Amino acid sequence: MSTVAVLGLGLIGGSLARDLHEAGFEVVGYDRTREVLHAAHTSGVVSSMLGPDLEGLEHIETVVFAVPVGIAPHLMQEALPRLRSARLITDVGSTKTAICQQAARLGIGRQFVGAHPFAGDHQSGWEASRSGLFRDARVFLCPLSETTPEALQRARELWQQTGARTELIDAEAHDERLAWTSQLPQLASSALALALDTAQVSRPELGRGGMDATRLAGSSPEIWTDVVLENAEHAARALAALEQQISGLREQIEARSESGIRNALERALRWALSEKQSGSKQRT
Amino acid sequence: MSTVAVLGLGLIGGSLARDLHEAGFEVVGYDRTREVLHAAHTSGVVSSMLGPDLEGLEHIETVVFAVPVGIAPHLMQEALPRLRSARLITDVGSTKTAICQQAARLGIGRQFVGAHPFAGDHQSGWEASRSGLFRDARVFLCPLSETTPEALQRARELWQQTGARTELIDAEAHDERLAWTSQLPQLASSALALALDTAQVSRPELGRGGMDATRLAGSSPEIWTDVVLENAEHAARALAALEQQISGLREQIEARSESGIRNALERALRWALSEKQSGSKQRT
């Protein structure tokens, strides 16, 4: 798989393209924003550019969809007639159920492995992309029941090039878990920003800890609206749990309950200090 | 004021003692934990140790109370008979109304300036203290109406030694504001930790952004219980505002409202990118 097509050159796609380029792969690129595509080409990371209708994709064995999760299923459908040479079709989205279902529906399930590199931060776009972003990061791999061992092996090897650690997980279990580990911190940070905004408190007024707590509020609304919509049921449930904790804490404070407040903060501290990973994902 | 007594050698008191020692001051120290006091003495930062009943404080002109806000008023009362030489009596607590009232009540209001260095992070204790902690930090100064210009000038000069920027603010306005800029991010981070704990999600499972959002959950429950209790009314109001934002976001998600979610995340992003300081504090 010495040639890889990366469709979408934002933070994740762009960083993957950089790593693969540095590892000696030939990267064929596509981005709906032509300036981004040209910048990636000019930088040398992308050696050739696909046409506006993905012309040139026909002969490529490894195809990575790296566009927002709301767009990926549509782009995959558009690309379908040009995926006949593909031995691995994969993606990078933060939700996995819908894209896995779409791959099955389009009849490319044997070649498809859903992937979610759990890296990145509040930044986005090609300008924020950088090599080394995935070093030591976890990458969740979600094969379908029909995915061939060859396709899965190719997906593992692709991510090994970036220094990431791959973990196999079922798509639905992934989405349920990531509502807590990823979407909840994102939404909590945005909600905190909104509360401070209503009180006319600006971010530079915060201390170091408050800056940390609100960093994710700077994330891309476009990317996260799609993710949250796709995972709405799990995300709403996680938010409800947070709402309940905040409400409980507020009640302890209103009651001036020293033991109530202290117990809550102590439980939070014990959680913060715990180093064991309570998940039960299978390391591949 | 070449000799300064620092009572309480935790993160804030210890860091202040280090800065003053490096600036050539003689620092007289006290801590209820004798091991901490001896460590500070052995390190050379504290040149002499006050006795268990604060013996030795009688002749010192600058006295800094650097103990948790729930303890400071009591320690100040204990110290009162030994404050007869003091020209500046100050503190470092995150809430200012109660300590200012206590100083007035004890009849030392002319020498008292409440102070709150807005520095530090989730760490605490002498081991976490370090020189340079206050460099470029804001330090809120809250004089009483009876505070003498000399005491206020001494407070300014004390903090200038550390590289901090002092800002004058009324004690009650300070407490109202800090409920938002300091206590709300703290409580939001702890509540997020509690919600993740209920879902049996451990901190190492989070991504970089989630680690940031939960960093403050590692703060000292002892320190923050006192702060929140003292500022209960304002803190509860700020938490209620956050609760409302989370509830609104959850409802938009439950309704699968793309525009509702996107609008909320876009407002949060605009807030995060805003660089203007909306407060109206007077720089001194």
Side-chain angles (χ1 to χ4, degrees), chain B residues 192-238:
Chain B
L192 178 55
L194 292 172
L196 290 167
D197 191 34
T198 62
Q200 298 188 288
V201 173
S202 68
R203 192 156 184 255
E205 283 186 78
L206 305 183
R208 201 173 302 163
M211 295 294 271
D212 282 347
T214 55
R215 186 155 298 123
L216 281 175
S219 302
S220 158
E222 183 191 6
I223 290 172
W224 283 95
T225 300
D226 279 5
V227 168
V228 166
L229 268 179
E230 276 223 6
N231 211 19
E233 193 180 324
H234 294 309
R237 197 172 302 143

Side-chain angles (χ1 to χ4, degrees), chain B residues 94-267:
Chain B
S94 303
T95 54
K96 300 268 58 82
T97 307
I99 194 73
C100 286
Q101 285 171 350
Q102 174 72 335
R105 199 180 301 125
L106 296 176
I108 52 173
R110 287 171 53 81
Q111 294 81 46
F112 188 77
V113 178
H116 173 206
F118 196 29
D121 43 38
H122 63 284
Q123 299 176 89
S124 58
W126 166 255
E127 319 74 49
S129 73
R130 52 196 184 271
S131 59
L133 181 66
F134 308 110
R135 182 154 303 284
D136 297 324
R138 279 163 290 163
V139 175
F140 302 110
L141 295 184
C142 306
L144 313 189
S145 57
E146 69 221 67
T147 301
T148 65
E150 185 212 334
L152 182 56
Q153 187 54 31
R154 281 176 174 258
R156 283 197 184 103
E157 287 170 11
L158 182 78
W159 286 105
Q160 278 161 7
Q161 299 293 337
T162 69
R165 296 176 284 120
T166 57
E167 290 181 22
L168 279 190
I169 183 172
D170 170 75
E172 288 187 24
H174 170 277
D175 289 359
E176 196 275 337
R177 197 76 183 163
L178 272 285
W180 295 91
T181 59
S182 177
Q183 291 132 46
L184 182 60
Q186 173 60 52
L187 294 168
S189 187
S190 294
L192 178 55
L194 292 172
L196 290 167
D197 191 34
T198 62
Q200 298 188 288
V201 173
S202 68
R203 192 156 184 255
E205 283 186 78
L206 305 183
R208 201 173 302 163
M211 295 294 271
D212 282 347
T214 55
R215 186 155 298 123
L216 281 175
S219 302
S220 158
E222 183 191 6
I223 290 172
W224 283 95
T225 300
D226 279 5
V227 168
V228 166
L229 268 179
E230 276 223 6
N231 211 19
E233 193 180 324
H234 294 309
R237 197 172 302 143
L239 263 188
L242 175 59
E243 216 174 317
Q244 199 183 335
Q245 293 298 333
I246 289 176
S247 161
L249 207 43
R250 177 182 50 72
E251 284 165 14
Q252 298 294 346
I253 295 170
E254 283 169 351
R256 267 71 169 171
S257 167
E258 180 171 353
S259 63
I261 300 167
R262 185 184 298 262
N263 285 344
L265 297 183
E266 280 174 355
R267 272 187 295 130

Side-chain angles (χ1 to χ4, degrees), chain A residues 118-121 130 133 138 140 177 180-182 184-210 212-222 224-226 228-229 231-233 235-243 245-247 249-250 252-254 256-259 261-281, chain B residues 118-121 130 133 138 140 177 180-182 184-210 212-222 224-226 228-229 231-233 235-243 245-247 249-250 252-254 256-259 261-281:
Chain A
F118 196 29
D121 43 36
R130 52 196 184 270
L133 181 67
R138 280 163 289 162
F140 302 110
R177 198 75 183 163
W180 296 90
T181 59
S182 177
L184 182 60
Q186 174 60 52
L187 294 168
S189 187
S190 294
L192 178 55
L194 292 173
L196 291 167
D197 191 33
T198 62
Q200 298 187 288
V201 173
S202 69
R203 192 157 184 256
E205 282 186 78
L206 304 183
R208 200 173 303 163
D212 283 346
T214 55
R215 186 155 299 123
L216 281 175
S219 301
S220 158
E222 182 190 8
W224 283 95
T225 301
D226 278 5
V228 167
L229 268 179
N231 211 19
E233 195 180 323
R237 197 172 300 143
L239 263 189
L242 175 59
E243 214 173 317
Q245 293 299 333
I246 290 175
S247 161
L249 206 44
R250 177 181 52 70
Q252 299 293 346
I253 295 170
E254 283 170 352
R256 268 67 168 172
S257 167
E258 179 171 354
S259 62
I261 299 167
R262 185 184 299 261
N263 285 344
L265 297 183
E266 279 173 355
R267 271 187 295 130
L269 173 63
R270 273 198 298 278
W271 176 87
L273 296 178
S274 167
E275 285 178 9
K276 73 170 195 317
Q277 186 152 340
S278 51
S280 55
K281 284 172 217 77
Chain B
F118 196 29
D121 43 38
R130 52 196 184 271
L133 181 66
R138 279 163 290 163
F140 302 110
R177 197 76 183 163
W180 295 91
T181 59
S182 177
L184 182 60
Q186 173 60 52
L187 294 168
S189 187
S190 294
L192 178 55
L194 292 172
L196 290 167
D197 191 34
T198 62
Q200 298 188 288
V201 173
S202 68
R203 192 156 184 255
E205 283 186 78
L206 305 183
R208 201 173 302 163
D212 282 347
T214 55
R215 186 155 298 123
L216 281 175
S219 302
S220 158
E222 183 191 6
W224 283 95
T225 300
D226 279 5
V228 166
L229 268 179
N231 211 19
E233 193 180 324
R237 197 172 302 143
L239 263 188
L242 175 59
E243 216 174 317
Q245 293 298 333
I246 289 176
S247 161
L249 207 43
R250 177 182 50 72
Q252 298 294 346
I253 295 170
E254 283 169 351
R256 267 71 169 171
S257 167
E258 180 171 353
S259 63
I261 300 167
R262 185 184 298 262
N263 285 344
L265 297 183
E266 280 174 355
R267 272 187 295 130
L269 173 63
R270 273 197 299 278
W271 177 87
L273 295 179
S274 167
E275 285 178 10
K276 73 171 195 314
Q277 187 152 340
S278 51
S280 55
K281 283 171 219 76

